[in-house]
Amino acid sequence: MRFSIDTSNGVPIYEQIVRQVTFAVAEGVLVSGQMVPSVRQLSTTLAINPNTIARAYQQLQSDQVLESLRGRGLVVRADAAPRCDAARQAILADRLRSVLSEALHAGLSTEQLREMFEQQIQNL
Amino acid sequence: MRFSIDTSNGVPIYEQIVRQVTFAVAEGVLVSGQMVPSVRQLSTTLAINPNTIARAYQQLQSDQVLESLRGRGLVVRADAAPRCDAARQAILADRLRSVLSEALHAGLSTEQLREMFEQQIQNL
Amino acid sequence: MRFSIDTSNGVPIYEQIVRQVTFAVAEGVLVSGQMVPSVRQLSTTLAINPNTIARAYQQLQSDQVLESLRGRGLVVRADAAPRCDAARQAILADRLRSVLSEALHAGLSTEQLREMFEQQIQNL
Amino acid sequence: MRFSIDTSNGVPIYEQIVRQVTFAVAEGVLVSGQMVPSVRQLSTTLAINPNTIARAYQQLQSDQVLESLRGRGLVVRADAAPRCDAARQAILADRLRSVLSEALHAGLSTEQLREMFEQQIQNL
DNA sequence: GTGGTCTAGACCACC
DNA sequence: GTGGTCTAGACCACC
């Protein structure tokens, strides 16, 4: 799988990695038993501090997405896919809800929002 | 105008104040020449340190939304409304874009997104 | 004499009044024995707080430019003109020196400065 | 780069730092990608409170002169040099304009000003 | 009364 | 280690 890190959007790097792995499992890009790149390897390909990678992998383990196979590395857990799918849905719905809520509080109408939605989605 | 501060959502307090003033000017709740509450007054009503209020007002001045009448207080600048409206639009569109972009990268379809959008907007 | 107050250039209002009176005496626009407008009158014509005017006049008295004639008001002192002329020269030379010094420290050459000088003086 | 702070000239300390960094980038003394001293380090070498340094660096970020590499420090932005050069030019021209304007209003002739200019520039 | 600046010191996330 | 935010409290010029 490919990672894309944006160091300037305020989202912590380790969080971006956690999400991208979670989403990849949800989509089936990463499947049960598949290994993820080693801390060292990912650290050099992304030019990111190894501690940051390690922290992301640590959280993915406590999220029960990855597990450590002694001496071999980290792999996707057998039961991770549905959990990741649920997590993906929840994370995205929540972020969407929060943006919409702020926009409504800022005085935009539902119609203006729908317009903005269509406009943004066409630009992507 | 009324302010509502949420100290637990990660958004800096001064930033929340900046946004709320900007949005209020965009909506016409605050109009040109109108004074904003004094640093000390807002500080006591919100139970927030005066420095934090001052920082928000400082940024609103460099954003050209407020201007200082020395020794008297801060007022909304004559030409602030369109600037604030544009800022509001830009901030919200950007946040929406970022959510949608992440959702698409996470594998959701445009149709799924549209569904999620309608669902979230009805719950608000 | 006419006063012009700029409330947005950072120079305190009372200071602007002090300087304008001083310069007017230096130029001969105000002459010895001539009365200056009363605090109350100047306050209303300039729409400025009377305390601010009073403060300016206080300083002009301690600068020995004005003197108070009991019950009649403030007039230009007999010996004020040369003092004001010297003050004007000193104030302006000092401000010029300070700008030039900063520009040189900022890396501009004498030639660039001379250019800038001619350009600015033509625009005035 | 070296900083020199004058705490007695009325110009706020953070503003002096902002200007010195801006001018250094304009001159090429600081180049794109180069790190500026850390808040704590500059704070101790200048014997200035870290908050004051942070405030200057904050403004330099909103001026798009510096950018933050989270957890690592602050560097000069890729496109900062022309912006800084323009800012330097604008700041100095404006200060010069303001001095000349005041001098003309004070009754000096263009010729007297030119004389004063040459005199001051030789003494520096 | 008003805002503006500064110090001191704490706590935080991130690398 | 890095910057970012916030509190507490002081002092200032100005109105």
Side-chain angles (χ1 to χ4, degrees), chain D residues 13-48:
Chain D
I13 296 171
Y14 76 89
E15 186 63 35
Q16 296 183 45
I17 296 171
V18 167
R19 255 192 241 164
Q20 288 179 33
V21 170
T22 305
F23 288 3
V25 174
E27 279 189 83
V29 169
L30 281 177
V31 298
S32 286
Q34 192 172 346
M35 284 187 85
V36 292
S38 84
V39 168
R40 285 162 177 86
Q41 183 190 327
L42 193 53
S43 155
T44 57
T45 65
L46 294 179
I48 299 278

PDB file of all heavy atoms in Angstrom, chain D residues 13-48:
ATOM      1  N   ILE D  13       9.462  44.644  21.428  1.00  0.00           N
ATOM      2  CA  ILE D  13      10.525  43.668  21.199  1.00  0.00           C
ATOM      3  C   ILE D  13      10.149  42.680  20.107  1.00  0.00           C
ATOM      4  O   ILE D  13      10.929  42.392  19.206  1.00  0.00           O
ATOM      5  CB  ILE D  13      10.834  42.922  22.515  1.00  0.00           C
ATOM      6  CG1 ILE D  13      11.371  43.897  23.556  1.00  0.00           C
ATOM      7  CG2 ILE D  13      11.817  41.796  22.280  1.00  0.00           C
ATOM      8  CD1 ILE D  13      11.502  43.296  24.946  1.00  0.00           C
ATOM      9  N   TYR D  14       8.910  42.148  20.188  1.00  0.00           N
ATOM     10  CA  TYR D  14       8.537  41.132  19.189  1.00  0.00           C
ATOM     11  C   TYR D  14       8.573  41.730  17.787  1.00  0.00           C
ATOM     12  O   TYR D  14       8.947  41.068  16.823  1.00  0.00           O
ATOM     13  CB  TYR D  14       7.152  40.542  19.508  1.00  0.00           C
ATOM     14  CG  TYR D  14       5.988  41.415  19.160  1.00  0.00           C
ATOM     15  CD1 TYR D  14       5.410  41.365  17.896  1.00  0.00           C
ATOM     16  CD2 TYR D  14       5.469  42.315  20.078  1.00  0.00           C
ATOM     17  CE1 TYR D  14       4.340  42.178  17.570  1.00  0.00           C
ATOM     18  CE2 TYR D  14       4.402  43.136  19.758  1.00  0.00           C
ATOM     19  CZ  TYR D  14       3.850  43.059  18.500  1.00  0.00           C
ATOM     20  OH  TYR D  14       2.800  43.871  18.166  1.00  0.00           O
ATOM     21  N   GLU D  15       8.221  43.023  17.696  1.00  0.00           N
ATOM     22  CA  GLU D  15       8.229  43.700  16.404  1.00  0.00           C
ATOM     23  C   GLU D  15       9.664  43.848  15.876  1.00  0.00           C
ATOM     24  O   GLU D  15       9.909  43.717  14.682  1.00  0.00           O
ATOM     25  CB  GLU D  15       7.574  45.080  16.574  1.00  0.00           C
ATOM     26  CG  GLU D  15       7.366  45.851  15.304  1.00  0.00           C
ATOM     27  CD  GLU D  15       6.423  45.170  14.335  1.00  0.00           C
ATOM     28  OE1 GLU D  15       5.470  44.521  14.798  1.00  0.00           O
ATOM     29  OE2 GLU D  15       6.676  45.262  13.116  1.00  0.00           O
ATOM     30  N   GLN D  16      10.585  44.146  16.767  1.00  0.00           N
ATOM     31  CA  GLN D  16      11.984  44.249  16.355  1.00  0.00           C
ATOM     32  C   GLN D  16      12.485  42.927  15.802  1.00  0.00           C
ATOM     33  O   GLN D  16      13.219  42.886  14.804  1.00  0.00           O
ATOM     34  CB  GLN D  16      12.860  44.688  17.539  1.00  0.00           C
ATOM     35  CG  GLN D  16      12.527  46.082  18.059  1.00  0.00           C
ATOM     36  CD  GLN D  16      13.460  46.525  19.192  1.00  0.00           C
ATOM     37  OE1 GLN D  16      14.678  46.352  19.111  1.00  0.00           O
ATOM     38  NE2 GLN D  16      12.898  47.099  20.248  1.00  0.00           N
ATOM     39  N   ILE D  17      12.078  41.838  16.448  1.00  0.00           N
ATOM     40  CA  ILE D  17      12.500  40.515  15.975  1.00  0.00           C
ATOM     41  C   ILE D  17      11.884  40.222  14.604  1.00  0.00           C
ATOM     42  O   ILE D  17      12.566  39.753  13.692  1.00  0.00           O
ATOM     43  CB  ILE D  17      12.120  39.436  17.004  1.00  0.00           C
ATOM     44  CG1 ILE D  17      12.891  39.666  18.301  1.00  0.00           C
ATOM     45  CG2 ILE D  17      12.381  38.041  16.456  1.00  0.00           C
ATOM     46  CD1 ILE D  17      12.444  38.808  19.458  1.00  0.00           C
ATOM     47  N   VAL D  18      10.584  40.518  14.477  1.00  0.00           N
ATOM     48  CA  VAL D  18       9.912  40.302  13.189  1.00  0.00           C
ATOM     49  C   VAL D  18      10.659  41.036  12.085  1.00  0.00           C
ATOM     50  O   VAL D  18      10.987  40.472  11.038  1.00  0.00           O
ATOM     51  CB  VAL D  18       8.444  40.774  13.241  1.00  0.00           C
ATOM     52  CG1 VAL D  18       7.846  40.852  11.840  1.00  0.00           C
ATOM     53  CG2 VAL D  18       7.623  39.857  14.124  1.00  0.00           C
ATOM     54  N   ARG D  19      10.954  42.310  12.346  1.00  0.00           N
ATOM     55  CA  ARG D  19      11.631  43.108  11.315  1.00  0.00           C
ATOM     56  C   ARG D  19      13.015  42.565  10.994  1.00  0.00           C
ATOM     57  O   ARG D  19      13.402  42.496   9.836  1.00  0.00           O
ATOM     58  CB  ARG D  19      11.788  44.542  11.812  1.00  0.00           C
ATOM     59  CG  ARG D  19      10.810  45.464  11.144  1.00  0.00           C
ATOM     60  CD  ARG D  19      11.159  46.895  11.423  1.00  0.00           C
ATOM     61  NE  ARG D  19      10.080  47.538  12.132  1.00  0.00           N
ATOM     62  CZ  ARG D  19      10.183  48.682  12.779  1.00  0.00           C
ATOM     63  NH1 ARG D  19      11.361  49.311  12.832  1.00  0.00           N
ATOM     64  NH2 ARG D  19       9.155  49.206  13.367  1.00  0.00           N
ATOM     65  N   GLN D  20      13.757  42.204  12.039  1.00  0.00           N
ATOM     66  CA  GLN D  20      15.123  41.759  11.788  1.00  0.00           C
ATOM     67  C   GLN D  20      15.144  40.455  11.001  1.00  0.00           C
ATOM     68  O   GLN D  20      15.987  40.276  10.117  1.00  0.00           O
ATOM     69  CB  GLN D  20      15.898  41.658  13.109  1.00  0.00           C
ATOM     70  CG  GLN D  20      16.204  43.056  13.660  1.00  0.00           C
ATOM     71  CD  GLN D  20      16.961  43.032  14.983  1.00  0.00           C
ATOM     72  OE1 GLN D  20      17.766  42.144  15.238  1.00  0.00           O
ATOM     73  NE2 GLN D  20      16.694  44.003  15.839  1.00  0.00           N
ATOM     74  N   VAL D  21      14.220  39.564  11.298  1.00  0.00           N
ATOM     75  CA  VAL D  21      14.158  38.321  10.523  1.00  0.00           C
ATOM     76  C   VAL D  21      13.755  38.647   9.081  1.00  0.00           C
ATOM     77  O   VAL D  21      14.376  38.178   8.121  1.00  0.00           O
ATOM     78  CB  VAL D  21      13.179  37.306  11.145  1.00  0.00           C
ATOM     79  CG1 VAL D  21      12.944  36.136  10.201  1.00  0.00           C
ATOM     80  CG2 VAL D  21      13.705  36.809  12.477  1.00  0.00           C
ATOM     81  N   THR D  22      12.726  39.498   8.937  1.00  0.00           N
ATOM     82  CA  THR D  22      12.258  39.860   7.590  1.00  0.00           C
ATOM     83  C   THR D  22      13.390  40.476   6.773  1.00  0.00           C
ATOM     84  O   THR D  22      13.620  40.095   5.619  1.00  0.00           O
ATOM     85  CB  THR D  22      11.091  40.868   7.692  1.00  0.00           C
ATOM     86  OG1 THR D  22      10.071  40.307   8.509  1.00  0.00           O
ATOM     87  CG2 THR D  22      10.518  41.181   6.321  1.00  0.00           C
ATOM     88  N   PHE D  23      14.111  41.412   7.387  1.00  0.00           N
ATOM     89  CA  PHE D  23      15.187  42.084   6.660  1.00  0.00           C
ATOM     90  C   PHE D  23      16.308  41.099   6.342  1.00  0.00           C
ATOM     91  O   PHE D  23      16.919  41.171   5.272  1.00  0.00           O
ATOM     92  CB  PHE D  23      15.719  43.270   7.489  1.00  0.00           C
ATOM     93  CG  PHE D  23      14.756  44.439   7.540  1.00  0.00           C
ATOM     94  CD1 PHE D  23      13.506  44.373   6.942  1.00  0.00           C
ATOM     95  CD2 PHE D  23      15.093  45.619   8.192  1.00  0.00           C
ATOM     96  CE1 PHE D  23      12.609  45.453   6.988  1.00  0.00           C
ATOM     97  CE2 PHE D  23      14.214  46.702   8.233  1.00  0.00           C
ATOM     98  CZ  PHE D  23      12.970  46.610   7.638  1.00  0.00           C
ATOM     99  N   ALA D  24      16.582  40.175   7.267  1.00  0.00           N
ATOM    100  CA  ALA D  24      17.649  39.197   7.028  1.00  0.00           C
ATOM    101  C   ALA D  24      17.290  38.296   5.845  1.00  0.00           C
ATOM    102  O   ALA D  24      18.153  37.945   5.036  1.00  0.00           O
ATOM    103  CB  ALA D  24      17.896  38.358   8.285  1.00  0.00           C
ATOM    104  N   VAL D  25      16.011  37.931   5.732  1.00  0.00           N
ATOM    105  CA  VAL D  25      15.595  37.110   4.591  1.00  0.00           C
ATOM    106  C   VAL D  25      15.686  37.950   3.315  1.00  0.00           C
ATOM    107  O   VAL D  25      16.142  37.468   2.271  1.00  0.00           O
ATOM    108  CB  VAL D  25      14.169  36.558   4.781  1.00  0.00           C
ATOM    109  CG1 VAL D  25      13.704  35.822   3.529  1.00  0.00           C
ATOM    110  CG2 VAL D  25      14.115  35.632   5.986  1.00  0.00           C
ATOM    111  N   ALA D  26      15.299  39.228   3.404  1.00  0.00           N
ATOM    112  CA  ALA D  26      15.365  40.111   2.229  1.00  0.00           C
ATOM    113  C   ALA D  26      16.799  40.238   1.724  1.00  0.00           C
ATOM    114  O   ALA D  26      17.055  40.240   0.526  1.00  0.00           O
ATOM    115  CB  ALA D  26      14.807  41.494   2.574  1.00  0.00           C
ATOM    116  N   GLU D  27      17.737  40.310   2.660  1.00  0.00           N
ATOM    117  CA  GLU D  27      19.147  40.481   2.295  1.00  0.00           C
ATOM    118  C   GLU D  27      19.827  39.189   1.879  1.00  0.00           C
ATOM    119  O   GLU D  27      20.952  39.217   1.392  1.00  0.00           O
ATOM    120  CB  GLU D  27      19.935  41.002   3.503  1.00  0.00           C
ATOM    121  CG  GLU D  27      19.826  42.483   3.716  1.00  0.00           C
ATOM    122  CD  GLU D  27      20.821  42.893   4.783  1.00  0.00           C
ATOM    123  OE1 GLU D  27      21.995  43.079   4.429  1.00  0.00           O
ATOM    124  OE2 GLU D  27      20.419  42.998   5.959  1.00  0.00           O
ATOM    125  N   GLY D  28      19.170  38.040   2.162  1.00  0.00           N
ATOM    126  CA  GLY D  28      19.812  36.769   1.859  1.00  0.00           C
ATOM    127  C   GLY D  28      20.683  36.253   2.989  1.00  0.00           C
ATOM    128  O   GLY D  28      21.403  35.268   2.822  1.00  0.00           O
ATOM    129  N   VAL D  29      20.665  36.927   4.123  1.00  0.00           N
ATOM    130  CA  VAL D  29      21.420  36.435   5.283  1.00  0.00           C
ATOM    131  C   VAL D  29      20.759  35.161   5.812  1.00  0.00           C
ATOM    132  O   VAL D  29      21.424  34.240   6.279  1.00  0.00           O
ATOM    133  CB  VAL D  29      21.475  37.511   6.389  1.00  0.00           C
ATOM    134  CG1 VAL D  29      22.015  36.941   7.686  1.00  0.00           C
ATOM    135  CG2 VAL D  29      22.309  38.686   5.912  1.00  0.00           C
ATOM    136  N   LEU D  30      19.441  35.118   5.726  1.00  0.00           N
ATOM    137  CA  LEU D  30      18.704  33.882   6.021  1.00  0.00           C
ATOM    138  C   LEU D  30      18.124  33.396   4.695  1.00  0.00           C
ATOM    139  O   LEU D  30      17.521  34.172   3.964  1.00  0.00           O
ATOM    140  CB  LEU D  30      17.543  34.159   6.983  1.00  0.00           C
ATOM    141  CG  LEU D  30      17.853  34.306   8.468  1.00  0.00           C
ATOM    142  CD1 LEU D  30      16.583  34.651   9.226  1.00  0.00           C
ATOM    143  CD2 LEU D  30      18.479  33.038   9.017  1.00  0.00           C
ATOM    144  N   VAL D  31      18.318  32.118   4.394  1.00  0.00           N
ATOM    145  CA  VAL D  31      17.822  31.612   3.107  1.00  0.00           C
ATOM    146  C   VAL D  31      16.746  30.551   3.310  1.00  0.00           C
ATOM    147  O   VAL D  31      16.587  29.996   4.404  1.00  0.00           O
ATOM    148  CB  VAL D  31      18.969  31.030   2.258  1.00  0.00           C
ATOM    149  CG1 VAL D  31      19.969  32.121   1.944  1.00  0.00           C
ATOM    150  CG2 VAL D  31      19.621  29.865   2.969  1.00  0.00           C
ATOM    151  N   SER D  32      16.020  30.287   2.261  1.00  0.00           N
ATOM    152  CA  SER D  32      14.926  29.312   2.291  1.00  0.00           C
ATOM    153  C   SER D  32      15.380  27.987   2.895  1.00  0.00           C
ATOM    154  O   SER D  32      16.443  27.466   2.566  1.00  0.00           O
ATOM    155  CB  SER D  32      14.418  29.047   0.877  1.00  0.00           C
ATOM    156  OG  SER D  32      13.677  30.148   0.440  1.00  0.00           O
ATOM    157  N   GLY D  33      14.572  27.456   3.754  1.00  0.00           N
ATOM    158  CA  GLY D  33      14.865  26.154   4.348  1.00  0.00           C
ATOM    159  C   GLY D  33      15.736  26.238   5.586  1.00  0.00           C
ATOM    160  O   GLY D  33      15.843  25.276   6.350  1.00  0.00           O
ATOM    161  N   GLN D  34      16.355  27.399   5.772  1.00  0.00           N
ATOM    162  CA  GLN D  34      17.236  27.554   6.933  1.00  0.00           C
ATOM    163  C   GLN D  34      16.415  27.668   8.211  1.00  0.00           C
ATOM    164  O   GLN D  34      15.342  28.256   8.217  1.00  0.00           O
ATOM    165  CB  GLN D  34      18.083  28.816   6.746  1.00  0.00           C
ATOM    166  CG  GLN D  34      19.230  28.935   7.732  1.00  0.00           C
ATOM    167  CD  GLN D  34      20.156  30.094   7.405  1.00  0.00           C
ATOM    168  OE1 GLN D  34      20.087  30.654   6.303  1.00  0.00           O
ATOM    169  NE2 GLN D  34      21.015  30.461   8.341  1.00  0.00           N
ATOM    170  N   MET D  35      16.928  27.034   9.280  1.00  0.00           N
ATOM    171  CA  MET D  35      16.211  27.124  10.547  1.00  0.00           C
ATOM    172  C   MET D  35      16.558  28.419  11.258  1.00  0.00           C
ATOM    173  O   MET D  35      17.687  28.900  11.180  1.00  0.00           O
ATOM    174  CB  MET D  35      16.563  25.950  11.447  1.00  0.00           C
ATOM    175  CG  MET D  35      15.873  24.660  11.024  1.00  0.00           C
ATOM    176  SD  MET D  35      16.141  23.332  12.204  1.00  0.00           S
ATOM    177  CE  MET D  35      14.841  23.659  13.403  1.00  0.00           C
ATOM    178  N   VAL D  36      15.577  28.982  11.959  1.00  0.00           N
ATOM    179  CA  VAL D  36      15.859  30.107  12.838  1.00  0.00           C
ATOM    180  C   VAL D  36      16.148  29.534  14.223  1.00  0.00           C
ATOM    181  O   VAL D  36      15.788  28.396  14.517  1.00  0.00           O
ATOM    182  CB  VAL D  36      14.676  31.099  12.879  1.00  0.00           C
ATOM    183  CG1 VAL D  36      14.514  31.785  11.540  1.00  0.00           C
ATOM    184  CG2 VAL D  36      13.394  30.429  13.307  1.00  0.00           C
ATOM    185  N   PRO D  37      16.810  30.320  15.080  1.00  0.00           N
ATOM    186  CA  PRO D  37      17.098  29.805  16.432  1.00  0.00           C
ATOM    187  C   PRO D  37      15.812  29.385  17.128  1.00  0.00           C
ATOM    188  O   PRO D  37      14.768  30.006  16.915  1.00  0.00           O
ATOM    189  CB  PRO D  37      17.726  31.009  17.151  1.00  0.00           C
ATOM    190  CG  PRO D  37      18.014  32.030  16.126  1.00  0.00           C
ATOM    191  CD  PRO D  37      17.277  31.691  14.881  1.00  0.00           C
ATOM    192  N   SER D  38      15.885  28.368  17.960  1.00  0.00           N
ATOM    193  CA  SER D  38      14.684  27.928  18.663  1.00  0.00           C
ATOM    194  C   SER D  38      14.217  29.003  19.634  1.00  0.00           C
ATOM    195  O   SER D  38      15.002  29.849  20.066  1.00  0.00           O
ATOM    196  CB  SER D  38      14.961  26.634  19.417  1.00  0.00           C
ATOM    197  OG  SER D  38      15.532  26.910  20.668  1.00  0.00           O
ATOM    198  N   VAL D  39      12.937  28.965  19.937  1.00  0.00           N
ATOM    199  CA  VAL D  39      12.361  29.927  20.869  1.00  0.00           C
ATOM    200  C   VAL D  39      13.178  29.984  22.153  1.00  0.00           C
ATOM    201  O   VAL D  39      13.563  31.075  22.611  1.00  0.00           O
ATOM    202  CB  VAL D  39      10.902  29.536  21.208  1.00  0.00           C
ATOM    203  CG1 VAL D  39      10.391  30.356  22.381  1.00  0.00           C
ATOM    204  CG2 VAL D  39      10.015  29.728  19.998  1.00  0.00           C
ATOM    205  N   ARG D  40      13.454  28.797  22.710  1.00  0.00           N
ATOM    206  CA  ARG D  40      14.155  28.776  23.994  1.00  0.00           C
ATOM    207  C   ARG D  40      15.577  29.311  23.873  1.00  0.00           C
ATOM    208  O   ARG D  40      16.065  30.032  24.737  1.00  0.00           O
ATOM    209  CB  ARG D  40      14.182  27.352  24.541  1.00  0.00           C
ATOM    210  CG  ARG D  40      12.844  26.902  25.116  1.00  0.00           C
ATOM    211  CD  ARG D  40      12.786  25.383  25.228  1.00  0.00           C
ATOM    212  NE  ARG D  40      11.565  24.879  25.823  1.00  0.00           N
ATOM    213  CZ  ARG D  40      10.448  24.641  25.150  1.00  0.00           C
ATOM    214  NH1 ARG D  40      10.387  24.900  23.854  1.00  0.00           N
ATOM    215  NH2 ARG D  40       9.380  24.150  25.764  1.00  0.00           N
ATOM    216  N   GLN D  41      16.240  28.950  22.778  1.00  0.00           N
ATOM    217  CA  GLN D  41      17.622  29.392  22.621  1.00  0.00           C
ATOM    218  C   GLN D  41      17.699  30.907  22.474  1.00  0.00           C
ATOM    219  O   GLN D  41      18.454  31.574  23.187  1.00  0.00           O
ATOM    220  CB  GLN D  41      18.220  28.711  21.388  1.00  0.00           C
ATOM    221  CG  GLN D  41      19.686  29.056  21.172  1.00  0.00           C
ATOM    222  CD  GLN D  41      20.181  28.571  19.831  1.00  0.00           C
ATOM    223  OE1 GLN D  41      19.735  27.532  19.332  1.00  0.00           O
ATOM    224  NE2 GLN D  41      21.095  29.323  19.231  1.00  0.00           N
ATOM    225  N   LEU D  42      16.883  31.447  21.567  1.00  0.00           N
ATOM    226  CA  LEU D  42      16.906  32.893  21.356  1.00  0.00           C
ATOM    227  C   LEU D  42      16.498  33.608  22.639  1.00  0.00           C
ATOM    228  O   LEU D  42      17.052  34.658  22.989  1.00  0.00           O
ATOM    229  CB  LEU D  42      15.960  33.271  20.213  1.00  0.00           C
ATOM    230  CG  LEU D  42      16.107  34.686  19.669  1.00  0.00           C
ATOM    231  CD1 LEU D  42      17.536  34.978  19.282  1.00  0.00           C
ATOM    232  CD2 LEU D  42      15.188  34.898  18.477  1.00  0.00           C
ATOM    233  N   SER D  43      15.536  33.016  23.324  1.00  0.00           N
ATOM    234  CA  SER D  43      15.091  33.583  24.587  1.00  0.00           C
ATOM    235  C   SER D  43      16.242  33.742  25.578  1.00  0.00           C
ATOM    236  O   SER D  43      16.369  34.766  26.242  1.00  0.00           O
ATOM    237  CB  SER D  43      13.998  32.691  25.175  1.00  0.00           C
ATOM    238  OG  SER D  43      13.937  32.825  26.567  1.00  0.00           O
ATOM    239  N   THR D  44      17.098  32.723  25.666  1.00  0.00           N
ATOM    240  CA  THR D  44      18.193  32.840  26.632  1.00  0.00           C
ATOM    241  C   THR D  44      19.298  33.753  26.117  1.00  0.00           C
ATOM    242  O   THR D  44      19.816  34.570  26.866  1.00  0.00           O
ATOM    243  CB  THR D  44      18.780  31.469  27.010  1.00  0.00           C
ATOM    244  OG1 THR D  44      19.214  30.823  25.820  1.00  0.00           O
ATOM    245  CG2 THR D  44      17.744  30.603  27.703  1.00  0.00           C
ATOM    246  N   THR D  45      19.620  33.669  24.812  1.00  0.00           N
ATOM    247  CA  THR D  45      20.719  34.529  24.342  1.00  0.00           C
ATOM    248  C   THR D  45      20.331  36.010  24.383  1.00  0.00           C
ATOM    249  O   THR D  45      21.182  36.852  24.606  1.00  0.00           O
ATOM    250  CB  THR D  45      21.196  34.169  22.915  1.00  0.00           C
ATOM    251  OG1 THR D  45      20.141  34.431  22.001  1.00  0.00           O
ATOM    252  CG2 THR D  45      21.588  32.720  22.821  1.00  0.00           C
ATOM    253  N   LEU D  46      19.048  36.317  24.178  1.00  0.00           N
ATOM    254  CA  LEU D  46      18.642  37.725  24.225  1.00  0.00           C
ATOM    255  C   LEU D  46      18.146  38.148  25.616  1.00  0.00           C
ATOM    256  O   LEU D  46      17.854  39.319  25.838  1.00  0.00           O
ATOM    257  CB  LEU D  46      17.529  38.001  23.199  1.00  0.00           C
ATOM    258  CG  LEU D  46      17.887  37.867  21.722  1.00  0.00           C
ATOM    259  CD1 LEU D  46      16.673  38.161  20.859  1.00  0.00           C
ATOM    260  CD2 LEU D  46      19.039  38.799  21.338  1.00  0.00           C
ATOM    261  N   ALA D  47      18.018  37.157  26.522  1.00  0.00           N
ATOM    262  CA  ALA D  47      17.469  37.437  27.855  1.00  0.00           C
ATOM    263  C   ALA D  47      16.080  38.053  27.745  1.00  0.00           C
ATOM    264  O   ALA D  47      15.753  39.037  28.403  1.00  0.00           O
ATOM    265  CB  ALA D  47      18.411  38.335  28.659  1.00  0.00           C
ATOM    266  N   ILE D  48      15.287  37.438  26.894  1.00  0.00           N
ATOM    267  CA  ILE D  48      13.915  37.878  26.637  1.00  0.00           C
ATOM    268  C   ILE D  48      12.993  36.703  26.934  1.00  0.00           C
ATOM    269  O   ILE D  48      13.350  35.561  26.680  1.00  0.00           O
ATOM    270  CB  ILE D  48      13.754  38.277  25.148  1.00  0.00           C
ATOM    271  CG1 ILE D  48      14.671  39.438  24.771  1.00  0.00           C
ATOM    272  CG2 ILE D  48      12.306  38.566  24.807  1.00  0.00           C
ATOM    273  CD1 ILE D  48      14.143  40.779  25.136  1.00  0.00           C
TER     274      ILE D  48
END
